[in-house]
Amino acid sequence: MAFGESRGACWEDGVADPVLCFAFSYSFIANGPLPYPEWTIWDQTVEYRAFAYQQYIVISSLRPQYRYLGNVAIPHATSPVWHRRQLVMATPTTVEVVFVDAGVAPIDLETKRKKEEMKLKEAQANAVSEHGEIALSTDYC
């Protein structure tokens, strides 16, 4: 068996699972929608992963679920290093830095809003129980 022909955990009943095979960087089976990257690297928190192709770098967030963040055109990038949320790479003529942030998902904003509403209702209920209905008055003379 030659290098790259490993048929490890991603093979079941003679059929490759493309998602599982994609996760294994050491064995490549050419099936699936994505080309095989030249290199991949995880950040220290295992939240972000960079996939390098010949002409560009793809950045993805992998927690809590896979989310494509974008790509940058940096041809022939090598020697990647993560430093916090910065990906530093070398090209034949430059050193490139990519700043990465997944931003805030709409579901996160909705969850935060609901928590704030619950806190407000709880505070109002506590004020009513301690001081009666007058505590809810916000008009001052």
Side-chain angles (χ1 to χ4, degrees), residues 34-49:
L34 299 174
Y36 189 66
E38 293 187 21
W39 52 259
T40 66
I41 187 169
W42 292 92
D43 75 329
Q44 296 91 333
T45 63
V46 193
E47 180 180 356
Y48 300 111
R49 189 166 188 185

Side-chain angles (χ1 to χ4, degrees), residues 90-102:
T91 69
T93 57
T94 63
V95 174
E96 303 284 341
V97 179
V98 177
F99 296 91
V100 178
D101 189 5

Side-chain angles (χ1 to χ4, degrees), residues 1-97:
M1 189 176 297
F3 178 76
E5 293 180 356
S6 171
R7 295 183 183 221
C10 62
W11 280 83
E12 185 175 318
D13 300 328
V15 178
D17 178 1
V19 175
L20 191 56
C21 285
F22 189 67
F24 289 102
S25 298
Y26 299 111
S27 63
F28 169 64
I29 294 137
N31 66 348
L34 299 174
Y36 189 66
E38 293 187 21
W39 52 259
T40 66
I41 187 169
W42 292 92
D43 75 329
Q44 296 91 333
T45 63
V46 193
E47 180 180 356
Y48 300 111
R49 189 166 188 185
F51 302 89
Y53 298 97
Q54 203 169 38
Q55 297 295 319
Y56 58 94
I57 310 296
V58 174
I59 308 290
S60 299
S61 173
L62 299 166
R63 288 189 181 175
Q65 63 188 25
Y66 177 84
R67 187 167 49 150
Y68 168 81
L69 298 178
N71 61 45
V72 290
I74 302 176
H76 309 292
T78 61
S79 307
V81 176
W82 280 101
H83 179 69
R84 297 198 176 126
R85 291 185 177 192
Q86 302 163 16
L87 178 62
V88 180
M89 298 158 287
T91 69
T93 57
T94 63
V95 174
E96 303 284 341
V97 179

